Amino acid sequence: MTAVNLLDFDLDALAAYCEQLGEKRFRATQLFRWIHQKGARDFAQMSDLAKSLRDKLASRAEIRPLPVISEHVSADGTIKWLFDVGGGNAVESVFIPEDDRGTLCVSSQAGCAVGCRFCSTGHQGFSRNLSTGEIVAQLWFAEHALRARFKTAERVISNVVMMGMGEPLQNYAALVPALRTMLDDHGYGLSRRRVTVSTSGVVPMIDRLRKDCPVALAVSLHAPTDPLRDELVPINRKYPIKELLEACQRYLEAAPRDFITFEYCMLDGVNDSDAQARELLALVGERGPAGRVPCKFNLIPFNPFPASGLKRSGAARVQAFAQVLIDGGLVTTVRKTRGDDIDAACGQLAGEVQDRTNAATRMAGARQRAKMVPIAVQAPGGSDIHNEGTSR
């Protein structure tokens, strides 16, 4: 019999499992604390559990970690782990230490099927969804490994961002129990404000998340118009900007924060003109397609990789773009690049993926089409110009 992986269960599911074993709910709470708060794997260590329960668990269940293939530490303290998820697939997680927080970037899929043109993961294609246990295992390992490293019993990870490999909302059934484990006071006790799901814009799942487990929401926008976003974020062809912004409005009714974070990867000559910044102001303003959307913009320096055919906007251009948004009344930040010396920065996570989507061929075709039909870019004066040969 295959052992049940207890990392797959949020507290309610673990209580149901314990009931199957003839145990009461408080035993599930004790077990949950041992697993997530203390990082225990050996049931024999769980001294406040009845021996009869420990024996049952030892014969039927396990806490199954992900094998660590490699660990890389950046000069700035960022740590990247590569985890083996079987079948020739590996996913990456990144820990980003700061003075007032410790953030873990977690993967939800082996690869990604969305195929954003500026994202290294998307160029690898898609293999499969991760299970709840595989998502939680990244946090379970990182939290307890970091406590041992820093010789502390205190919590090290204060924030989790579902911004690693994959589109979280395309793995919804596994995502929600993982989020509940992160939030549970008997688990990791994270605040809803400190757990962020980043999405490319899967509108129906944004609505479901609002009802099932509202946490902070970040939306990968990257363009002010549908034609450009269609090219950069292909899912826009199914859920265009107006529908996405309307979903954001609905999400705010239940969100733990009173704003949506829009992520915007700065691509030289593609989406970084002052005119496009003014289009963003109009997009989320009172007269926008969904009315005023309370939001902040996070401008992300593009991290180039050979297959993208794209270039990073210059620092002066990023600052000028940001200033247009700030002058228009929008809270705007420029993300500090962390871990780029170990390929751990935004858009660089690639892992190892046995692609089932033939991504390399599709991306090559997209780049060829881009050469024949260049992306239209808005010049500062408002007229259309083209960025010849340009291909998240």
Side-chain angles (χ1 to χ4, degrees):
M1 182 188 302
T2 302
V4 173
N5 181 13
L6 299 186
L7 293 179
D8 277 320
F9 296 149
D10 62 16
L11 183 54
D12 286 342
L14 186 61
Y17 177 72
C18 285
E19 285 180 11
Q20 293 175 15
L21 301 179
E23 303 290 340
K24 296 189 180 299
R25 183 182 178 94
F26 81 92
R27 292 300 189 193
T29 301
Q30 291 175 313
L31 179 55
F32 203 70
R33 289 173 177 167
W34 274 105
I35 295 170
H36 299 292
Q37 293 186 353
K38 298 182 181 180
R41 284 190 64 196
D42 184 353
F43 298 118
Q45 295 177 343
M46 303 180 183
S47 54
D48 58 353
L49 297 184
K51 186 176 185 304
S52 59
L53 174 57
R54 284 181 273 163
D55 290 343
K56 290 178 190 176
L57 292 170
S59 64
R60 307 182 194 188
E62 65 178 337
I63 294 96
R64 188 183 308 147
L66 292 176
V68 179
I69 297 173
S70 64
E71 174 185 290
H72 298 279
V73 181
S74 169
D76 63 21
T78 298
I79 304 172
K80 181 178 74 171
W81 294 284
L82 181 68
F83 293 104
D84 185 355
V85 294
N89 298 304
V91 301
E92 293 178 328
S93 304
V94 178
F95 174 66
I96 306 164
E98 298 179 82
D99 292 340
D100 60 342
R101 73 189 72 183
T103 300
L104 185 70
C105 181
V106 173
S107 294
S108 57
Q109 296 177 315
C112 184
V114 175
C116 297
R117 287 175 58 187
F118 45 84
C119 179
S120 182
T121 305
H123 279 253
Q124 276 202 310
F126 174 76
S127 180
R128 67 171 178 86
N129 287 328
L130 300 186
S131 67
T132 295
E134 289 169 331
I135 295 171
V136 172
Q138 297 168 66
L139 174 58
W140 181 87
F141 169 84
E143 175 63 35
H144 299 292
L146 291 168
R147 287 186 196 179
R149 176 173 303 201
F150 300 140
K151 296 180 172 58
T152 179
E154 300 299 317
R155 187 170 68 193
V156 177
I157 295 169
S158 62
N159 295 59
V160 170
V161 292
M162 298 301 304
M163 296 182 183
M165 295 172 64
E167 164 53 67
L169 295 186
Q170 288 186 336
N171 188 15
Y172 191 81
L175 171 70
V176 170
L179 294 177
R180 289 175 175 155
T181 296
M182 296 173 193
L183 299 171
D184 199 296
D185 287 340
H186 299 295
Y188 299 91
L190 299 175
S191 161
R192 290 181 184 271
R193 295 171 58 88
R194 290 178 173 266
V195 176
T196 301
V197 169
S198 176
T199 178
S200 57
V202 188
V203 167
M205 297 298 103
I206 292 174
D207 287 328
R208 284 189 61 182
L209 189 66
R210 170 173 59 92
K211 297 175 182 177
D212 293 340
C213 191
V215 292
L217 186 69
V219 174
S220 296
L221 190 58
H222 308 304
T225 63
D226 282 323
L228 180 55
R229 194 165 191 268
D230 285 350
E231 291 295 322
L232 296 177
V233 187
I235 201 170
N236 193 72
R237 296 165 191 162
K238 187 171 185 179
Y239 306 115
I241 290 174
K242 182 177 185 294
E243 291 183 26
L244 177 58
L245 295 182
E246 289 171 346
C248 290
Q249 290 279 31
R250 294 190 295 270
Y251 194 85
L252 284 168
E253 298 168 5
R257 293 179 173 176
D258 58 0
F259 61 88
I260 300 292
T261 298
F262 288 121
E263 296 170 315
Y264 198 93
C265 186
M266 300 295 293
L267 305 170
D268 181 40
V270 175
N271 67 352
D272 63 350
S273 72
D274 286 357
Q276 287 164 319
R278 290 191 289 271
E279 286 181 309
L280 288 177
L281 288 172
L283 193 67
V284 300
E286 297 289 352
R287 297 184 180 181
R292 179 178 174 274
V293 182
C295 62
K296 64 172 282 189
F297 272 83
N298 189 8
L299 306 183
I300 304 170
F302 172 58
N303 292 297
F305 57 97
S308 71
L310 298 166
K311 297 179 181 179
R312 176 186 292 190
S313 300
R317 177 87 303 268
V318 174
Q319 290 301 323
F321 190 94
Q323 196 60 52
V324 173
L325 298 181
I326 293 168
D327 291 345
L330 292 181
V331 175
T332 304
T333 58
V334 178
R335 181 178 293 177
K336 181 181 178 182
T337 298
R338 299 288 301 270
D340 53 347
D341 58 329
I342 56 170
D343 291 337
C346 183
Q348 289 185 314
L349 299 191
E352 298 172 6
V353 176
Q354 300 300 307
D355 179 34
R356 298 200 316 240
T357 64
N358 203 23
T361 301
R362 290 186 294 105
M363 291 293 183
R367 288 195 298 274
Q368 184 61 35
R369 290 192 299 274
K371 291 178 181 178
M372 294 185 292
V373 185
I375 294 175
V377 180
Q378 201 74 6
S383 60
D384 283 342
I385 60 174
H386 291 87
N387 183 29
E388 297 293 342
T390 297
S391 36
R392 166 170 153 156

